[in-house]
Amino acid sequence: MSDLERDTLLFHASGRPGKIEITPTKPLTTQRDLSLAYSPGVAFPCLRIAADPSLAYDYTAKGNLVAVISNGTAVLGLGDLGALAGKPVMEGKAVLFKRFADVDAVDLEVDTRDVDEFVNCVRYLGPSFGGINLEDIKAPECFIIEQRLRELMSIPVFHDDQHGTAIIAAAGLINALHLTGRTLKDVKLVVNGAGAAAVACIELVKSMGLPHSNAIMCDTKGVIYKGRTEGMNQWKSAHAVETRARTLAEAMEGADVFLGLSAKGAVTSDMVSRMAAKPIIFAMANPDPEITPEEVRAIRQDAIIATGRSDYANQINNVLGFPYIFRGALDVRASTINDFMKIAAAEAIAALAREDVPDEVDAAYSGRRLRYGPDYIIPVPFDPRLIAAISPAVAKAAMDSGVARRPIVDMDNYRKVLSARLDPTAASMQMISEEVRANPRRVVFAEGEEEKTIRAALAFHHAGYGSPILLGREDRIQQTMKAAGLAGALEGIEIVNARLSERTKAYADMFYARMQRKGMLFRDAQRTVNQDRNIFAAAMVALGDADAMVTGLTRNYYQAFEEVTRVIDPKKDELVFGTTILISHGKTVFISDSVVIETPTPDELADIACQTAAKARQMGYVPRVALLSYANFGNPPNLNSERVHEAVAILDQRRVDFEYDGEMAADVALDPDLMKLYPFCRLSGPANVLVMPGLYSAHIAWKLLQKLGGGSIIGPVLMGLSKPVQITSMDASASDIVNMAVLASHDALRQEGFK
């Protein structure tokens, strides 16, 4: 079993099996809540919908609900696995809908290979869903199924394997043609493959202006030409042309563009050498392209190349399209997704690639500069601007083409709503992760004998984040790994035993120099370094033998913090404190200080506000800081709230560059309706940085929210130390430890001056 296979199976099976769950959007905590959500109150929306079916979009989730439907006859590149075996893919598709466009999706696996049975099963689902995403259905049945369902249903029906690939490929082609000074009207295009995606690609580019006679389609039997009878069907026949070419090699002679949706190795270097000047080669076969970029570059330096793989530039990735296309279609209640909407999506994607790339997107892919050109003709999947670029374009095209049933009046406001709709924490973490992956660092995992730590170190290494160092005894680590079924998986991971390390004396000397004026003898320093893994790990970081460290699994936070800070000092002019990042119900809030300073002074509160705002900004947020108290702007007056009031005055004097206000209660800070009761409040919207008046309130708040609020927690993230250290909670999962290791590595990059 490979590392990827093991990690993937563990990912799917751990905790709640699978990747999706359903959570209510309304409170169900009282008898009245129950009477409103169900009987007797639910009768009222039922009666309204019976009288006016369009009200289903107002009173139910229909307008944001998509069904991801498959029979499993063409699962990824694996073939006909059947409906049940295709379920993990459909769940994954549902996750992508939610993650990238906040579209709720439900996977439905239909256990039939009969076209009529499949169509009859799906056609009656219209009242339940706002759209249908067909997935992993083999050709030619997929063409028949989609066409019939589009005729029978009054909601969008979209086969992503066809149109998603076509739209992203078309976007890349628009820019490749622009860079090479061509237009669709004057290029010769060759498509290799005649399945669902290939047919959709050639049909879309023809609808965009490519002359029919300028495109040659090939399949396993060669060129699809007029008069050919072998292996033909109505979809291939529609693209037959008059040509003397009979093989792919002959078709490629003088071709300007190649679109590959076929198989590994289908294109040879000789074929590429015979293409026209500045050839455009989209080798999109997965997992291995028809020809690799390296093979193309070896003979054609003037080529523009795209593939379906994430490890090459210009990935043709469907996730750039389908979430945002459905978002736009749902928001105008479109009856279908037509060619106007597909072309609008392609043009919007292409236009976004030509725009200046924000710094945070550059940081996510810092191994290369993302600037419009031959190696950047398509935006990257984690560009947060995608939703505000594509969905409005699709919505407008639906309106212009007459298929929108609820037009959007204020398109500028719609773009703003879309930009704010998604919680950006996952994207921010992804961008941080990509920056770390592009600049890997050595991270010491202090509790190296613990199973969760070992799993985290393995995951950290396999993800390409850097080189993990497990601190512990090798025999104990091997025993733990064997018991966990991880035997033999230590390649790329370093083990350091404090008792055997050649660096132990240097660490003891350093530690003694720090502690000798605090009553410590040299032998005490030696013993502490030998026996205390947090001291040893911190010494490794302090002396540059590791770039960062993670600890906290076996000792409470405060003990681990005390040990680390005996070795590592604060940054000059900064406070050391912790920020807990809470992600819940589409909102992300930074809570400070959640672990260190018991009762901050007004100056310390101001410092905490400034440093937390900087951290929020680093993770892609525009900070809005609320300094909290139980009082609202002096009512009722109290000495504790006076500290917060003074902190606000200090921020006034500092002329900081972020929004802030206080003192205010938490409900006012987070509820825009309550905030309206105080029209003088300086915050333009709900706060996303909460500066707490004391450690007690901060710690209690985030612990309660973590256990009862249904959200997830990152941190507490330790800030203000001169060397990168992160301390996990004792109940941290392996994934939590990996996140903290990534954050520590990112801190290391920032301290080293990486941008």
Side-chain angles (χ1 to χ4, degrees), residues 599 605 629-630 638-645 693:
T599 307
L605 286 170
S629 173
Y630 73 92
N638 184 276
L639 288 177
N640 277 327
S641 61
E642 187 62 29
R643 283 189 302 114
V644 182
H645 184 79

Side-chain angles (χ1 to χ4, degrees), residues 53 55 266 345 363 414 512 617 651 654 676 688 721:
L55 292 176
Y414 177 54
Y512 177 61
R617 199 170 262 149
L651 291 174
R654 293 184 183 181
K676 290 176 183 176
N688 54 14
L721 285 176

Side-chain angles (χ1 to χ4, degrees), residues 191-420:
V191 178
N192 194 46
V199 170
C201 281
I202 198 169
E203 288 182 346
L204 185 60
V205 294
K206 284 182 178 179
S207 68
M208 292 169 62
L210 179 76
H212 172 77
S213 59
N214 287 22
I216 297 178
M217 175 174 268
C218 302
D219 62 10
T220 55
K221 301 184 185 303
V223 171
I224 296 172
Y225 57 90
K226 282 192 174 180
R228 190 181 118 174
T229 58
E230 185 182 10
M232 295 294 286
N233 58 41
Q234 68 187 78
W235 296 278
K236 293 182 184 180
S237 297
H239 303 291
V241 293
E242 296 280 1
T243 177
R244 295 181 180 179
R246 293 295 181 266
T247 67
L248 175 62
E250 292 172 354
M252 291 279 277
E253 190 84 34
D256 299 285
V257 180
F258 170 78
L259 301 182
L261 297 125
S262 51
K264 174 184 178 180
V267 174
T268 66
S269 298
D270 182 63
M271 294 179 192
V272 172
S273 69
R274 295 175 182 273
M275 292 180 71
K278 299 180 181 179
I280 298 167
I281 300 169
F282 286 13
M284 296 177 281
N286 265 322
D288 299 301
E290 286 82 359
I291 186 169
T292 67
E294 293 89 345
E295 291 171 317
V296 174
R297 294 287 184 215
I299 52 171
R300 297 298 296 264
Q301 292 295 316
D302 59 341
I304 293 179
I305 312 159
T307 72
R309 289 175 53 146
S310 61
D311 52 348
Y312 291 120
N314 299 328
Q315 183 190 17
I316 307 298
N317 190 333
N318 285 21
V319 80
L320 292 171
F322 70 84
Y324 314 111
I325 293 166
F326 268 96
R327 177 77 275 151
L330 291 171
D331 289 340
V332 294
R333 299 180 189 174
S335 58
T336 188
I337 295 174
N338 57 30
D339 280 352
F340 297 102
M341 296 159 75
K342 297 172 195 172
I343 293 170
E347 290 175 343
I349 294 167
L352 184 60
R354 299 187 198 184
E355 293 182 12
D356 187 44
V357 180
D359 290 342
E360 61 268 25
V361 179
D362 258 349
Y365 296 85
S366 55
R368 56 191 174 96
R369 291 287 289 170
L370 299 179
R371 295 294 179 268
Y372 180 58
D375 290 328
Y376 181 69
I377 57 173
I378 304 168
V380 289
F382 286 96
D383 192 324
R385 303 171 298 167
L386 286 164
I387 189 169
I390 302 169
S391 298
V394 171
K396 185 176 186 303
M399 292 156 55
D400 292 344
S401 60
V403 298
R405 289 175 290 201
R406 191 187 69 172
I408 293 170
V409 177
D410 188 343
M411 195 61 71
D412 288 337
N413 184 64
Y414 177 54
R415 291 188 183 92
K416 293 176 183 177
V417 170
L418 289 172
S419 295

Side-chain angles (χ1 to χ4, degrees), residues 2 16 57 81 88 108 110 149 164 204 207 260 303 353 403 431 445 520 525 534 559 567 683 696 720:
S2 68
R16 187 191 295 260
Y57 288 92
L81 298 184
L108 300 174
V110 180
L149 288 174
L204 185 60
S207 68
V403 298
M431 289 189 284
F445 293 74
M520 182 173 284
N534 284 335
Q559 184 179 357
V567 180
L683 300 184
Y696 294 109

